Amino acid sequence: MIEVEVKAKITDFNAVKKMLKKINAEKDHIEHQEDSYFNSPIKNFAETDEALRIREVSVNNISKTFITYKGPKIDSQSKTREEVELEVENPKKIAKVFEHLGFKKVAKVIKNRTIYNIDQYIISLDEVEGLEPYMEIETDLEDGSEFEEELNKIFDIFKKLGINDGFERTSYLELLENKDS
Amino acid sequence: MIEVEVKAKITDFNAVKKMLKKINAEKDHIEHQEDSYFNSPIKNFAETDEALRIREVSVNNISKTFITYKGPKIDSQSKTREEVELEVENPKKIAKVFEHLGFKKVAKVIKNRTIYNIDQYIISLDEVEGLEPYMEIETDLEDGSEFEEELNKIFDIFKKLGINDGFERTSYLELLENKDS
């Protein structure tokens, strides 16, 4: 799967929410996400631009766990990249498996994500602990698809919402790390 | 978790089934298992006596997928070792994650397993493709527990079933590999 994704810094969530209503984006739900990132014993994912993540998602007190591998970004303007994501039974057990295989937990990213849908696009308003407000718009494509058209459509949605700058390819993980250093 | 486990080669499944009835072991169900084993990019699991496995289990046409990490054996008579096992959504996606992380699929072990229970012990009659019949008796203990007592009880069950030899610490994976070489 290819995740076509663009992120931008937002100055005012309330203004964006009004615009989302105006373009008929539908509010879906709010998630609490706790992400644990792991680094590889054979390479530095910060250098290879890959990621291995355990995500605990809570919606209305029901928790699920997902693991995600993200490949290097394949586009210069966006966060578009290969992604493999699947649900697993339990965050502690999968962390133990990764640790036994030589992977080391390097950081945690915690956020509340308000999710809107419009057509095949998912719009996320993210309140990340320790960062300013961000918005992401993404859609998924089959492996090997052309993604340029979807990317342009995503930038169009940003435009309609009045967002023409503040675009950011750096992950929340790296933004938090850069802040600390 | 510690998996306390003893395996033995069986000459006659039907004789064992009669004895299982006699000692009041309860037949639980039959599973079809397809196991894919992966090797690590940083060490040879055949040498370190570890294992990483994706198991697809089918019972009455319902399939589930589990991943398992097995640590080195910690006992000279049995297959007792640390084990971490959890259910995951999908065999193909988890295989893709492992491959992206540098793990290579090395072998497949396919079997039909008939499962009996007696007290806290699980008795498996295994028809492994390419091997002779085997039986395993196992129980799970919390990490850090003393396992000698459970091990003795497992050998007692073998005795009650009339099995006093044919014990085997080599995994099905290695038995199949040794056969080929």
Side-chain angles (χ1 to χ4, degrees), chain B residues 8-21:
Chain B
K9 197 187 265 190
I10 299 301
T11 41
D12 181 359
F13 264 160
N14 286 327
V16 175
K17 282 178 186 174
K18 275 181 200 160
M19 292 302 287
L20 282 167
K21 212 173 168 183

Side-chain angles (χ1 to χ4, degrees), chain A residues 36-41 52 54 91-107, chain B residues 40 42-43 45 50 52 69 82 84 98 101 103:
Chain A
S36 298
Y37 286 88
F38 287 76
N39 207 355
S40 165
L52 176 64
I54 300 176
K92 278 187 191 149
K93 283 185 184 178
I94 189 68
K96 230 172 178 181
V97 170
F98 287 154
E99 281 157 9
H100 276 302
L101 298 176
F103 293 79
K104 297 240 181 302
K105 191 170 152 182
V106 284
Chain B
S40 165
I42 50 168
K43 46 189 173 175
F45 283 164
E50 296 168 272
L52 176 64
Y69 164 83
E82 188 187 348
V84 187
F98 287 154
L101 298 177
F103 292 78

Side-chain angles (χ1 to χ4, degrees), chain B residues 36-95:
Chain B
S36 298
Y37 286 88
F38 287 76
N39 206 356
S40 165
I42 50 168
K43 46 189 173 175
N44 183 356
F45 283 164
E47 279 163 23
T48 60
D49 192 26
E50 296 168 272
L52 176 64
R53 180 181 74 194
I54 299 176
R55 170 168 287 177
E56 297 176 60
V57 181
S58 304
V59 183
N60 297 328
N61 286 320
I62 294 164
S63 287
K64 289 186 173 194
T65 307
F66 298 88
I67 58 170
T68 310
Y69 164 83
K70 288 172 181 265
K73 290 186 272 295
I74 54 176
D75 165 76
S76 62
Q77 303 172 71
S78 70
K79 296 182 69 210
T80 300
R81 63 207 317 190
E82 188 187 348
E83 190 183 278
V84 187
E85 185 165 73
L86 70 156
E87 191 175 351
V88 303
E89 182 192 324
N90 180 306
K92 279 186 190 150
K93 282 186 184 178
I94 189 68

Side-chain angles (χ1 to χ4, degrees), chain A residues 9 64 75 88 94 109 113 115 132-133 152 159 174 181:
Chain A
K9 197 186 262 189
K64 289 186 172 193
D75 165 77
V88 302
I94 189 68
V109 177
R113 167 168 281 184
I115 296 172
E132 294 173 285
N152 289 333
K159 223 178 193 172
E174 290 162 293
S181 62

